[in-house]
Amino acid sequence: MNFIDLAILSEKRRDILLLIEKKPGNFEEIENLLDISSASLRFHIKKLLDSGFLEKEGGEYKLSGIAIPIIENMKGFLDSLTFFEENMDYWKKQDLNPVPDFLLRRLEELGRFELIESDTAHMFEIPPEIMENLRMSEEISVFFSCLHPKILFLYSEFAKKGLKLSLCVTEPIAEKLFNDFPAETEKIMEAENTKLFVCSRNVNLPIFVVTDWFMATGLFLNSGKLSSQFIICSGDGALRWGRELYRHYEGVSKLYKPSSASP
């Protein structure tokens, strides 16, 4: 029997290992915490002892040295499975090409998130859930390759309040900002705590925002249409993941300096 059969495919043995990984215990303690008969528990523990996954010391079962890294990786695998299974209908429709591979492999770090539906009657309005979180934030980083009708006025308001604001846009959006909305764009750029980065790459990421409070993004569908759903999440893992995504695109962009020619 190989390690996959022993530790992953058997739900009972997987539960035993994950329980002991949290806290080593004796037979009675394990039996009391798991929904399993004594005979079944003895059978599975013997399998795990024989395979070298478990060791017995002073009447208590604990993970062996070789089992510790295996179980740690197994937990990551199980977290990924759970993450995608809970939201499979959403993820299979989304174009994830804008997410770099090193973050795509860690997508489960987003954890639990809320899906916000933007119906056609309000497609030109920023969802109230996002607006509420933006107004509670003090540091805001935004990437966008689609220009929302209200976005300039919103970030102009934030810039006036002295919030730390970092904008990263594609070259076509930068041209549109300076050519079609010069007054509002200049107001944003004049703010002391505002930076604008211009990305020369063709990035198919409609809008992405990460703050000290939350993270949210909208994506394109695999069909090429703009998704009507937004992800919003606020866990520590999601914020770290979001900051890495923003830094990735900031790193392949140029800082715009007001003294230089407009893009």
Side-chain angles (χ1 to χ4, degrees), residues 20-63:
I20 293 174
E21 189 256 351
K22 289 182 180 178
K23 185 181 182 301
N26 59 39
F27 187 91
E28 289 73 20
E29 290 170 335
I30 297 170
E31 184 181 14
N32 290 336
L33 291 171
L34 293 177
D35 182 19
I36 186 172
S37 68
S38 296
S40 181
L41 180 58
R42 286 194 185 90
F43 170 80
H44 291 301
I45 283 182
K46 184 177 186 305
K47 287 281 186 184
L48 293 169
L49 285 168
D50 292 344
S51 67
F53 271 82
L54 289 183
E55 295 175 352
K56 191 174 182 181
E57 187 177 289
E60 286 191 338
Y61 297 99
K62 66 176 186 177
L63 296 184

Side-chain angles (χ1 to χ4, degrees), residues 123-127 130-131 134-135 140-159 165-169 173 176-177 181 184-185 188 196 205-209 216 230:
M123 63 182 300
F124 294 117
E125 296 180 13
I126 298 173
I130 292 179
M131 283 294 300
L134 280 172
R135 295 191 186 283
I140 303 173
S141 300
V142 187
F143 178 96
F144 54 97
S145 63
C146 294
L147 187 56
H148 191 285
K150 292 185 178 180
I151 201 166
L152 271 182
F153 300 97
L154 176 63
Y155 290 112
S156 175
E157 173 192 330
F158 292 153
L165 184 62
S166 183
L167 305 178
C168 187
V169 301
I173 293 298
K176 193 171 185 65
L177 291 178
F181 306 95
E184 287 301 323
T185 301
I188 294 174
L196 173 65
L205 182 60
I207 186 158
F208 166 79
V209 57
F230 289 86

Side-chain angles (χ1 to χ4, degrees), residues 77-91:
F77 172 71
L78 294 174
D79 288 344
S80 294
L81 282 180
T82 302
F83 177 81
F84 284 104
E85 283 178 351
E86 289 178 350
N87 307 283
M88 187 57 72
D89 287 342
Y90 172 78
W91 289 116

